[in-house]
Amino acid sequence: MSHSAFIALGANLGEPLVALRRAVDELRTLGTVEAVSALYRTAPVGGPSGQPDYLNAALRLDTDLTAAALLAALHAAEARAGRERSRRWEARVLDLDLILYGDQVSGDLALTLPHPRAWERAFVLAPLADLDPALPHPVTGETAAQALARVGPGGIEQVSPTWTQ
């Protein structure tokens, strides 16, 4: 059974564009990439000061994997890219977040769905709104476009509408 998953991508160390392109290619092995958002440059949110800006995007993946298996595959892809998890919100070579998995809601600490901070972060909402402005939060019903208008698009700049080539 196929499920629609929305995944946020980010990177700000090494060669972020190369890392994000490789991640999209790797995600194609987990299902069908139905759409990819524009690429955005964003200021870091939280974490240690002095971090470089991030490149952020999102994609919609149709997959037969369970949510838990997909999250494990995302973490494995991050590790292959060289990500080490030592400090919250630190700079990273690759960050892949499972934002939505169909309309599944889970409060499990290992797999919280929808992603608990997604509807509060412009760097996630702008790419999600590219993919589907009417995409609803499964609990509140607020759409990605409505949330982006509420949060405001400050601190994000579209770099490229087509960047995966």
Side-chain angles (χ1 to χ4, degrees):
M1 181 175 189
S2 186
H3 300 275
S4 184
F6 287 83
I7 299 166
L9 301 86
N12 72 337
L13 291 179
E15 297 180 68
L17 181 58
V18 171
L20 295 180
R21 285 179 172 158
R22 285 184 183 149
V24 171
D25 288 342
E26 190 163 348
L27 291 171
R28 291 182 201 286
T29 69
L30 304 178
T32 302
V33 174
E34 294 291 335
V36 179
S37 75
L39 184 68
Y40 292 87
R41 181 177 323 280
T42 64
V45 173
S49 62
Q51 290 187 51
D53 286 349
Y54 277 83
L55 291 181
N56 290 101
L59 62 76
R60 186 177 75 233
L61 179 75
D62 283 343
T63 184
D64 291 333
L65 295 174
T66 65
L70 178 56
L71 182 63
L74 297 179
H75 288 171
E78 291 174 339
R80 282 190 293 279
R83 177 167 180 188
E84 296 176 8
R85 293 174 179 267
S86 59
R87 189 172 175 191
R88 189 173 187 182
W89 296 329
E90 66 188 344
R92 54 201 71 160
V93 295
L94 183 62
D95 186 29
L96 300 173
D97 288 332
L98 181 55
I99 304 300
L100 295 170
Y101 183 84
D103 59 0
Q104 185 172 330
V105 175
S106 169
D108 186 325
L109 291 178
L111 177 62
T112 305
L113 289 169
H115 188 285
R117 292 169 298 282
W119 256 243
E120 301 301 323
R121 294 178 168 172
F123 67 86
V124 174
L125 292 165
L128 285 179
D130 284 351
L131 298 173
D132 183 356
L135 181 66
H137 187 284
V139 174
T140 68
E142 183 180 40
T143 68
Q146 290 167 334
L148 182 59
R150 174 180 48 77
V151 170
I156 61 174
E157 167 196 0
Q158 189 181 100
V159 175
S160 174
T162 56
W163 57 274
T164 56
Q165 293 83 358

